[in-house]
Amino acid sequence: MLVLVGDEALVAIGQGCSLLHLNVSGCHKIGDVGLIAIARGCPQLCYLDVSVLQNLGDVALAELGEGCPLLKDIVLSHCRQITDFGLAHLVRKCTLLESCHMVYCPFVTSAGVASVISSCANIKKVLVEKEKVSQRTKRRAGSVISYLCMDL
């Protein structure tokens, strides 16, 4: 029997646990409700992979920023609902962030990428499409930026 993980599972997990790492990549039944529960119940979270979650939006990112200030690594790639607004809320409190993957996030722009880099003093790796990095950002933080593909 195939069991699909959804928001209900994350609500249960988020009820006061000491979770440090969470990978729910590709669990399409997870959205803002589940991630908000994790943000509110798992303040020690330091690694989160939510890539390919089509129902994840800015509300969840804002809650993660508020509830998980120890977050160091986040994978947001292929999350089609998140925007620069959500990223700005995430990095406002997640100042320990070292790694952020945000490839194929159509509503993340060069301003969102710049926001991550300028808000996180410890940032070591940002994975993003090349066209979403401004010249100014390249000059300021070129060594921490990785691209999905270099000029093919």
Side-chain angles (χ1 to χ4, degrees), residues 117 123 136-145:
I117 289 170
I123 200 79
R136 182 173 184 226
T137 301
K138 284 179 189 175
R139 283 192 303 274
R140 290 182 69 206
S143 64
V144 302
I145 302 169

Side-chain angles (χ1 to χ4, degrees), residues 1-91:
M1 171 162 80
L2 178 64
V3 177
L4 298 176
V5 175
D7 284 333
E8 302 80 21
L10 293 190
V11 168
I13 291 169
Q15 293 179 353
C17 76
S18 57
L19 192 66
L20 299 177
H21 297 248
L22 178 63
N23 183 339
V24 290
S25 175
C27 296
H28 300 292
K29 291 188 165 227
I30 293 174
D32 287 348
V33 171
L35 265 293
I36 289 170
I38 292 296
R40 292 180 178 170
C42 304
Q44 302 299 315
L45 192 68
C46 59
Y47 173 86
L48 179 62
D49 185 343
V50 290
S51 55
V52 200
L53 297 190
Q54 301 302 313
N55 299 315
L56 181 67
D58 290 341
V59 173
L61 288 187
E63 288 282 342
L64 284 166
E66 288 295 320
C68 301
L70 302 179
L71 198 62
K72 289 186 177 182
D73 299 292
I74 190 162
V75 182
L76 300 166
S77 296
H78 297 271
C79 291
R80 300 187 178 281
Q81 304 287 330
I82 64 168
T83 70
D84 294 346
F85 182 76
L87 278 176
H89 280 285
L90 175 74
V91 299

Side-chain angles (χ1 to χ4, degrees), residues 74-151:
I74 190 162
V75 182
L76 300 166
S77 296
H78 297 271
C79 291
R80 300 187 178 281
Q81 304 287 330
I82 64 168
T83 70
D84 294 346
F85 182 76
L87 278 176
H89 280 285
L90 175 74
V91 299
R92 188 171 294 134
K93 298 280 177 99
C94 291
T95 56
L96 299 177
L97 205 63
E98 295 177 358
S99 174
C100 183
H101 294 205
M102 47 192 161
V103 175
Y104 296 129
C105 298
F107 299 111
V108 171
T109 69
S110 59
V113 174
S115 158
V116 170
I117 289 170
S118 64
S119 299
C120 304
N122 298 324
I123 200 79
K124 294 181 174 113
K125 182 177 182 185
V126 172
L127 181 62
V128 70
E129 294 96 331
K130 190 172 190 174
E131 65 271 8
K132 291 186 179 181
V133 180
S134 69
Q135 289 301 319
R136 182 173 184 226
T137 301
K138 284 179 189 175
R139 283 192 303 274
R140 290 182 69 206
S143 64
V144 302
I145 302 169
S146 298
Y147 303 105
L148 179 64
C149 311
M150 293 305 281
D151 302 316

